[in-house]
Amino acid sequence: MPIFHSIRFRLTLWYVLFLAVILAGFSAGVYLALRTSLYGNLDDSLENRASVALDTIDYQDGSPTLETQQLVLDPNEGEHFTRVYDATGSLTFDDSPQADRPSVDQKTVEAALQGETTVRRVKVGDQNMRVRTLPVRRGGSVVGALEVGLSESDVSDTLRILLLIIAVAYPVTLGATSFGGVFLAGRALAPIDQITRIARRISAEDLSRRLDLRLPDDELGRLAHTFDDMIARLDEAFRRQRQFTADASHELRTPLTSIKGQVEVTLSRERSPQTYREVLGTVNEEVDRLIRLVGSLLTLARADAGQIPIAKERVDLAGLVASVVEQVRPLAEERGVALEVATAPSATLEADEDLLLQLLLNLLDNAIKYTEKGGQVTVGWASRDGSMELRVRDTGAGIPPEQVPRIFDRFYRVDKARSRAEGGTGLGLSICRWIAEAHGGSISVESTPGTGSTFTLRLPT
Ligand code: ADP
């Protein structure tokens, strides 16, 4: 993986760029502040020197001069000087060193004699000097000019050292931070590499693997956890899919094996027309079962793929229940089960009428099928908490509590033999649940073995 494609690299790059700008700003700020302060100090010293010199000025024949010569062994010789000019602009005192004598600037002397104070910079030898030229007054009138100079070398030395420190410290700091950044980003992002490595090994065939990383509850910890949850859900979905395919194949094979067996036995020798008719009748029943099974499978497959459109319209509940009851009444009569519609206020629903009809047919069909002779099935509805509750109650065998959560699963049957004998496919309730959920509702069951079951369908109104 090229380094430029790593977050670690980009994070460090941005971090170092950001730091480079901040450091540059900071260094420039420190440099400028120190420079201003040092030059300010230099100007203050220059001013002090000038006022001390003014206080010690002597007059010879009315011309200002200084008596005090500098010490011969002045350790700071060459770093400062004092000059005095008389009213004509001629030098009357000058203690600047012979070798490196700053030139006299007549213009500034003239300006001082006019009463003006000036500060300028003069290059003397290899150093810069700050020079202050000011008028010398006696009895209110200008009688000469005083000039004091101070070397800037201390200031420029200090500033040069600071520049040197910055020049060395800047790249060193940036270099160190880059290394630190790469290291820290690497440490922080290491779990991502780990997640990627393990995730690559998790394939559709082996979804049992998990990251199982012991990470703190931070962004990456939560990512790893969410990833594991997602794999667990996928694992469960794949498992159900495999189970469904296996169950479906099994369900299809049973009637086919039965048909094949009967046909083979019948064809093994000559039979009477009566026997042929009977066998064909049984084969016909099995084919019916197969047609129902394939129909249900198709419905569920299309439902899973989101291919069944839900055409909602206003449905009159009483009318719908009446038509379902009429359809199942012959079956109820045949089984000796009483069928009753509980009195309820008229109500309407926003729903797909055909799907709702199919759902109620399934519930009623089951209720009648799993209720013994002499039992009763009641349909009723009531509006509750803004939704409509439709109940199908029977006095049948009921469902054992441990099996209740599973009866909406595909192909799940409490009593397989009985369901088969009744022509059931084990898919009816799965389709009911899908229809309820597709309408934004739910379906549930309460059941006590021996006393019967109540299926409750809740739909938004
Ligand atoms: P089937 O085609 O077997 O009826 P369903 O999905 O409709 O499939 O129902 C699943 C299972 O739930 C049934 O096999 C039966 O064991 C149980 N069941 C459904 N309705 C009732 C009921 N009213 N009373 C008792 N058991 C029921």
Side-chain angles (χ1 to χ4, degrees):
M1 182 178 60
I3 186 158
F4 306 104
H5 287 177
S6 78
I7 295 185
R8 186 175 166 181
F9 171 77
R10 271 178 284 155
L11 206 66
T12 311
L13 188 74
W14 278 112
Y15 174 56
V16 169
L17 277 179
F18 192 57
L19 190 77
V21 173
I22 291 186
L23 262 186
F26 178 75
S27 309
V30 168
Y31 179 82
L32 289 177
L34 190 74
R35 188 173 186 277
T36 313
S37 153
L38 287 178
Y39 277 112
N41 284 348
L42 190 73
D43 283 340
D44 287 349
S45 315
L46 203 60
E47 213 175 319
N48 284 343
R49 273 185 167 270
S51 66
V52 169
L54 268 184
D55 287 348
T56 49
I57 269 181
D58 276 335
Y59 292 93
Q60 286 171 4
D61 309 327
S63 296
T65 185
L66 277 173
E67 254 180 17
T68 34
Q69 286 287 337
Q70 292 297 318
L71 279 173
V72 181
L73 284 174
D74 184 349
N76 294 328
E77 197 190 311
E79 294 192 358
H80 59 82
F81 71 88
T82 312
R83 279 173 176 163
V84 182
Y85 303 88
D86 64 11
T88 63
S90 320
L91 267 175
T92 56
F93 177 83
D94 185 359
D95 66 359
S96 57
Q98 296 281 336
D100 266 335
R101 181 150 279 180
S103 57
V104 171
D105 183 33
Q106 281 303 334
K107 261 204 207 125
T108 38
V109 176
E110 286 300 320
L113 291 175
Q114 298 298 317
E116 227 176 89
T117 300
T118 48
V119 178
R120 67 198 157 97
R121 169 181 281 173
V122 179
K123 184 135 182 85
V124 182
D126 57 358
Q127 63 173 332
N128 282 323
M129 293 197 96
R130 222 161 166 75
V131 180
R132 189 179 174 89
T133 317
L134 60 157
V136 176
R137 296 175 206 272
R138 194 178 191 198
S141 54
V142 179
V143 292
L146 172 70
E147 196 163 64
V148 277
L150 256 184
S151 164
E152 284 183 1
S153 59
D154 278 356
V155 173
S156 45
D157 283 353
T158 311
L159 289 177
R160 202 172 307 121
I161 289 172
L162 180 65
L163 266 185
L164 200 72
I165 293 175
I166 291 176
V168 173
Y170 190 77
V172 168
T173 312
L174 284 188
T177 352
S178 305
F179 277 116
V182 169
F183 174 72
L184 285 180
R187 259 187 76 109
L189 297 174
I192 290 197
D193 277 342
Q194 209 175 349
I195 292 175
T196 314
R197 267 199 313 279
I198 305 178
R200 259 195 210 128
R201 273 189 253 136
I202 300 178
S203 62
E205 284 72 42
D206 183 15
L207 284 168
S208 59
R209 277 171 187 259
R210 298 286 179 275
L211 299 177
D212 268 336
L213 295 177
R214 311 247 170 286
L215 294 176
D217 183 25
D218 55 12
E219 289 87 339
L220 290 180
R222 285 192 291 273
L223 173 71
H225 195 70
T226 311
F227 188 85
D228 273 350
D229 284 351
M230 189 187 76
I231 297 294
R233 283 197 302 275
L234 277 178
D235 192 16
E236 176 60 21
F238 271 94
R239 199 192 55 71
R240 277 211 307 267
Q241 193 70 40
R242 278 195 291 269
Q243 184 66 41
F244 180 68
T245 315
D247 288 347
S249 320
H250 183 75
E251 293 296 328
L252 287 167
R253 202 177 59 183
T254 313
L256 285 173
T257 317
S258 155
I259 292 173
K260 174 115 181 108
Q262 294 196 48
V263 170
E264 271 178 3
V265 169
T266 315
L267 288 178
S268 63
R269 61 181 172 83
E270 203 59 37
R271 311 268 171 187
S272 67
Q274 169 69 12
T275 316
Y276 286 128
R277 221 170 284 123
E278 277 169 18
V279 172
L280 280 179
T282 338
V283 167
N284 196 29
E285 267 175 38
E286 293 292 351
V287 171
D288 273 348
R289 178 199 302 282
L290 275 172
I291 290 174
R292 269 201 309 280
L293 180 61
V294 172
S296 298
L297 280 174
L298 201 63
T299 305
L300 280 172
R302 289 175 60 214
D304 284 347
Q307 284 173 353
I308 301 184
I310 316 274
K312 283 194 183 173
E313 54 190 318
R314 276 262 139 225
V315 178
D316 170 40
L317 213 49
L320 182 77
V321 169
S323 93
V324 178
V325 165
E326 278 329 297
Q327 286 191 49
V328 293
R329 195 172 289 288
L331 179 70
E333 280 167 6
E334 184 192 312
R335 301 293 181 99
V337 173
L339 193 54
E340 201 181 295
V341 179
T343 40
S346 65
T348 56
L349 267 180
E350 266 304 306
D352 184 312
E353 189 160 9
D354 289 345
L355 291 177
L356 205 54
L357 189 98
Q358 191 181 343
L359 192 163
L360 288 177
L361 262 178
N362 262 332
L363 289 185
L364 278 170
D365 189 58
N366 276 349
I368 296 167
K369 276 190 323 198
Y370 300 108
T371 299
E372 309 307 324
K373 196 173 177 159
Q376 179 166 345
V377 172
T378 320
V379 194
W381 64 89
S383 130
R384 181 164 302 163
D385 302 333
S387 56
M388 186 57 69
E389 274 190 7
L390 246 150
R391 271 184 298 273
V392 177
R393 177 176 300 138
D394 64 60
T395 56
I399 304 156
E402 69 281 3
Q403 314 220 18
V404 165
R406 301 199 54 192
I407 60 160
F408 292 98
D409 290 352
R410 294 173 184 188
F411 294 118
Y412 191 81
R413 281 163 284 189
V414 176
D415 180 345
K416 213 163 184 161
R418 178 163 182 182
S419 161
R420 239 185 99 69
E422 301 284 1
T425 58
L427 292 175
L429 287 181
S430 321
I431 295 177
C432 288
R433 182 169 64 179
W434 170 74
I435 295 175
E437 287 172 359
H439 280 82
S442 63
I443 185 165
S444 60
V445 61
E446 279 167 47
S447 183
T448 9
T451 54
S453 321
T454 305
F455 282 81
T456 310
L457 168 72
R458 267 178 217 86
L459 290 177
T461 45

